[in-house]
Amino acid sequence: MANTTNYNWETPDDTDLVKDGAAAIRTLGSSIDTTTKALNPSTTLGDIEYRSATANTNTRLAIGTTGQVLSVVGGVPAWATSDDANAIQNAIVDAKGDIVAASAADTPARLAVGTDNQRLVAASGETTGLKYVSDTQNTVIDAEGDLLVGDAADALQRLAIGSNAQVLTVDTSVDGKIKWATPAGGGGKLLQVVVAEVTTQTTIASTSFTDTSLTATITPTLATSKILVMFNHSATSDRAASPMGFSLKLLRGATTVYNQDDGGGGTFYANPTTLGSPIGNTFNIYTNGIYLDTPNTTSATTYKTQARVTTTSNSGNVRFQNNSLPSTITLMEIGV
Amino acid sequence: MNYLVKAIHKLKPTAQFSFIDDDYSTIKWDVLEGDAPTKKQIDDAIKAVKADEANQIEANATAKAALLERLGITEDEAKLLLA
């Protein structure tokens, strides 16, 4: 006799003489039946099997009841009643935006949504330890440049942006105790500087005041500001006789604000007693001027110099920025 | 020496004006009798001014040499007298 590999069923050997074939078949059939039943012990709709401690033998697990979940008890599967009471229930939230927070250990609770623009903050006095509060930092601001200042303990208020060149100033008499204010008097505050360098060679052969090409523009930040104007002019006066000279003046726009003209002879004047050349005289000079102006404006303001020669006879002329020798003009806005 | 100024004054002795970078097109006239001179007229006048200048220098040198010869002294001796 021989046995099958997996279930050890008894079968005739290849060389056996089958004397009683029916008995051999019955023996094999009985073995198959016994094994099959051991592997498939289910008897009822919904039954499931799992492997028992015995080889080739399953254990039947009868179907559980409605709502039960498959669990493990004692190392084997078992149907168990679910513990929904300890799960977060759908019913805990009531509205869009509700959130679930703990009110104690293992205790979830609903926190209703706040109103628009509120923010969530920790609040130990609340059931959930949280609460929605108005977001002052967002809603109190109305415009670009606004600032937040304290209004009281834990309270903020808006400080609207000030105007150009104002500074933050403490003032205990105003709400918030801080305000924007124009800098107080005292003078001498340098607010801005504009410098222009000019190299445009400009020749004037006229007794009428004429632009020298030296110009600069400043836009005062305060109407009360002073403008300190300083210029340094390169000039070459030329005439085929003596004397020779020229005069300068400073203009704001079309208005003369500083005049170095003496009415005829020329402020910058030379009268060589000996001609340096049989064909003419030349003198080179760097002349300067300083003037403190009060333009009373916050509009762009242009300053420039003009010049005229003492005489145009004998080809009298003055050349500014001769051979591109630079002239400069500096405008300083001084807060007062 | 500003040849453009001298050239204009050679053409228009009473003219008053200004200009930028010796550029004829920038001339601004303050006083001008008659029509403004053309660029060619001014260019020609500049050549004439330069020629006058060269002639003047040469004439001055000739007169100086004649004077020194008439006085019977050298140029260095003349400088010494003037020092």
Side-chain angles (χ1 to χ4, degrees), chain A residues 39-99:
Chain A
L39 292 173
N40 185 19
S42 296
T43 61
T44 307
L45 177 66
D47 287 354
I48 59 177
E49 292 100 26
Y50 60 89
R51 191 188 185 288
S52 71
T54 304
N56 300 324
T57 302
N58 286 344
T59 298
R60 170 185 172 243
L61 176 63
I63 188 170
T65 59
T66 300
Q68 283 191 311
V69 295
L70 196 59
S71 183
V72 177
V73 176
V76 296
W79 292 105
T81 301
S82 64
D83 185 12
D84 283 351
N86 285 326
I88 296 175
Q89 302 297 302
N90 290 340
I92 198 169
V93 290
D94 295 338
K96 177 183 178 182
D98 286 355
I99 60 175

Side-chain angles (χ1 to χ4, degrees), chain A residues 244-325:
Chain A
M244 54 190 168
F246 63 94
S247 297
L248 273 172
K249 65 180 184 178
L250 174 70
L251 295 91
R252 179 200 332 116
T255 303
T256 299
V257 294
Y258 179 50
N259 199 340
Q260 293 182 332
D261 184 38
D262 64 354
T267 310
F268 306 99
Y269 177 81
N271 188 11
T273 56
T274 302
L275 295 181
S277 162
I279 56 172
N281 297 288
T282 297
F283 75 90
N284 299 317
I285 189 173
Y286 250 109
T287 180
N288 52 59
I290 300 176
Y291 179 70
L292 185 63
D293 189 34
T294 307
N296 292 320
T297 182
T298 55
S299 299
T301 303
T302 298
Y303 290 88
K304 65 179 181 181
T305 58
Q306 289 187 334
R308 69 176 187 174
V309 293
T310 303
T311 177
T312 58
S313 66
N314 298 99
S315 296
N317 69 89
V318 59
R319 173 170 282 191
F320 294 96
Q321 296 84 240
N322 188 28
N323 294 323
S324 298
L325 195 63

Side-chain angles (χ1 to χ4, degrees), chain B residues 44-61:
Chain B
D44 290 344
I46 289 175
K47 292 175 183 174
V49 166
K50 290 181 176 178
D52 289 347
E53 181 181 302
N55 291 337
Q56 182 66 49
I57 292 172
E58 184 177 346
N60 285 352

Side-chain angles (χ1 to χ4, degrees), chain A residues 81-139:
Chain A
T81 301
S82 64
D83 185 12
D84 283 351
N86 285 326
I88 296 175
Q89 302 297 302
N90 290 340
I92 198 169
V93 290
D94 295 338
K96 177 183 178 182
D98 286 355
I99 60 175
V100 177
S103 61
D106 305 326
T107 309
R110 168 182 177 248
L111 177 63
V113 66
T115 57
D116 286 351
N117 296 318
Q118 284 191 314
R119 59 191 170 86
L120 199 60
V121 298
S124 59
E126 301 295 317
T127 302
T128 60
L130 299 170
K131 70 175 180 181
Y132 283 98
V133 296
S134 295
D135 193 347
T136 306
Q137 292 177 4
N138 285 338
T139 58

